[in-house]
Amino acid sequence: MTERRSGPSRRSFVAASAGAALAAGLGLAPQAHAAPAARRRSPFGRYGSPSARLTERTLYVDARGAGDFTTVQAAVTAASGSGYTLVVAPGVYRGTVAVSVARTEMTWIGASGNARDVVVVYDNAAGTPKPGGGTYGTTGSATTLVQADGFTARDITFANDWLRADHPDISGTQAVAIKVQGDRAAFLRCRFLGHQDTLYADSMALGTFARQYFRDCYAEGDVDFVFGRATAVFERCHFHTLTRTDLASAPYGFVFAPSTAGANPRGYLVTRSRITSEAPDAYYKLARPWVPSSDTTARPMLTVRETRLGAGIDAVAPYTNMSSGFPWQDQRFAEYRNTGPGAVVSVPANRPQLTAAQAASATRETYLGDWAPWERC
């Protein structure tokens, strides 16, 4: 049994995103690429270079050796304080990366200005065996882990290219592209590629209400591919559901699986966005609530407003339960002025709607408080 996209496979898709010749670990070595003259002259574009450093806390990453470091993790390790900027040249950077709590106010910039050109990718899954015994688990599967406050990423792709079809013996199929736990984390024009549990928007602790902002981003997957307990705003984002050949019937999966703490008045807000699909019509649910065993008091919250829901979303029953003990009707799910075939209200009880008065407080300003990252876009 093989798993297919409507276009190229996940690994060839990631490789093509950065140019096939830069796909180290994806079948080609970086040296195989005959780079264009402009690429040879300035892989960092308008962001300077090691010989013309923008600031003393600007570090340059280039897999081909033109920067300070050839891996993203090496640059993060060297940035042993607050306020560092990493300028990352086009390429595929294969390996896991962890940004610890001490590395606050860090910024990653994709040098080309196009997220397809800069890809941070690895292929662990929750059930992947660890060298020392045991398995990685969902959190351990993350290609990128961000725990520091004040993290910003622009024009970068975060990916996990682990495939179920390649590992029929592994049942733990969660494979996280990025887990974000810090407060004030902003992602601008970034891409998040994976299948199950692609984008883990979370917090460091149950009582910590981490705020995160995603603008003009793209995320794709199948099962719960945007999930966690953060207070997260997704503005002008594109969510895309994948087809599956390992299942014979609907549902193929779920776009959102928030696990908002019961004490947190704000969960996930999706605004002015769109959801598309390459699966058959109505084969995806918009969301299901995740009430973790570690927090049975969670009350997952999701508001989707002024967003186009494509035909891939089951308009009749867009929500379902993850556990029968925590029905979605008891959680905080709502919509407002959505459009598209997946937004048609045929069974009103299945689609809670905000009133105009309620919608007035379902805004990025209300969710993010004194932090206004859109002012820096």
Side-chain angles (χ1 to χ4, degrees), residues 254-277:
F254 322 88
V255 181
F256 302 100
S259 57
T260 320
N264 190 350
R266 308 292 175 196
Y268 286 179
L269 171 65
V270 180
T271 179
R272 297 190 296 160
S273 296
R274 62 188 173 116
I275 299 175
T276 60
S277 182

Side-chain angles (χ1 to χ4, degrees), residues 13-367:
F13 179 66
V14 169
S17 294
L22 293 174
L26 297 177
L28 292 176
Q31 309 80 300
H33 182 49
R39 169 76 173 89
R40 288 196 300 270
R41 286 195 303 269
S42 181
F44 305 108
R46 61 190 177 91
Y47 296 105
S49 68
S51 61
R53 204 174 299 275
L54 294 187
T55 71
E56 64 178 10
R57 294 202 167 210
T58 301
L59 303 177
Y60 297 89
V61 184
D62 179 27
R64 293 162 52 91
D68 299 306
F69 305 94
T70 58
T71 70
V72 177
Q73 183 60 69
V76 170
T77 300
S80 56
S82 182
Y84 277 87
T85 295
L86 273 55
V87 179
V88 188
V92 173
Y93 296 86
R94 190 164 196 90
T96 59
V97 185
V99 181
S100 69
V101 293
R103 290 167 167 81
T104 57
E105 312 304 325
M106 177 176 281
T107 298
W108 294 8
I109 299 173
S112 74
N114 186 338
R116 292 177 177 271
D117 295 336
V118 179
V119 181
V120 181
V121 60
Y122 205 64
D123 62 349
N124 282 331
T128 300
K130 296 170 67 174
T135 57
Y136 283 100
T138 300
T139 292
S141 75
T143 298
T144 301
L145 173 65
V146 177
Q147 296 182 314
D149 291 344
F151 180 85
T152 299
R154 300 202 301 264
D155 304 310
I156 291 178
T157 293
F158 299 89
N160 188 318
D161 62 359
W162 189 90
L163 294 173
R164 299 183 187 95
D166 293 345
H167 305 277
D169 55 321
I170 291 179
S171 58
T173 57
Q174 301 89 344
V176 178
I178 187 169
K179 179 173 184 176
V180 187
Q181 295 179 284
D183 186 36
R184 294 180 292 103
F187 295 83
L188 311 174
R189 301 180 302 277
C190 288
R191 300 165 76 239
F192 306 95
L193 309 182
H195 284 261
Q196 183 172 350
D197 291 7
T198 303
L199 172 54
Y200 197 168
D202 205 51
S203 71
M204 285 294 291
L206 178 59
T208 302
F209 304 154
R211 296 165 296 173
Q212 298 166 15
Y213 180 66
F214 301 81
R215 178 162 172 160
D216 298 316
C217 290
Y218 172 89
E220 71 175 28
D222 47 41
V223 178
D224 304 332
F225 66 92
V226 181
F227 73 115
R229 67 177 171 226
T231 295
V233 174
F234 301 88
E235 184 173 30
R236 298 191 332 205
C237 290
H238 179 190
F239 305 92
H240 185 66
T241 62
L242 302 174
T243 194
R244 298 180 64 173
T245 58
D246 58 321
L247 295 180
S249 61
Y252 277 0
F254 322 88
V255 181
F256 302 100
S259 57
T260 320
N264 190 350
R266 308 292 175 196
Y268 286 179
L269 171 65
V270 180
T271 179
R272 297 190 296 160
S273 296
R274 62 188 173 116
I275 299 175
T276 60
S277 182
E278 62 187 47
D281 290 356
Y283 265 50
Y284 272 86
K285 302 292 186 181
L286 182 59
R288 63 178 180 172
W290 176 31
V291 178
S293 59
S294 59
D295 178 24
T296 56
T297 66
R299 285 199 66 214
M301 182 178 186
L302 168 70
T303 297
V304 181
R305 62 175 298 167
E306 296 159 322
T307 290
R308 190 181 194 283
L309 310 182
I313 298 299
D314 180 358
V316 175
Y319 306 108
T320 190
N321 300 333
M322 187 176 293
S323 169
S324 60
F326 302 99
W328 72 264
Q329 293 90 342
D330 292 345
Q331 314 311 321
R332 295 176 284 179
F333 285 0
E335 300 176 57
Y336 184 70
R337 291 185 176 178
N338 293 324
T339 60
V344 173
V345 180
S346 57
V347 182
N350 289 348
R351 308 206 72 146
Q353 302 289 315
L354 298 180
T355 65
Q358 291 169 329
S361 64
T363 65
R364 63 187 186 184
E365 290 82 2
T366 302
Y367 272 61

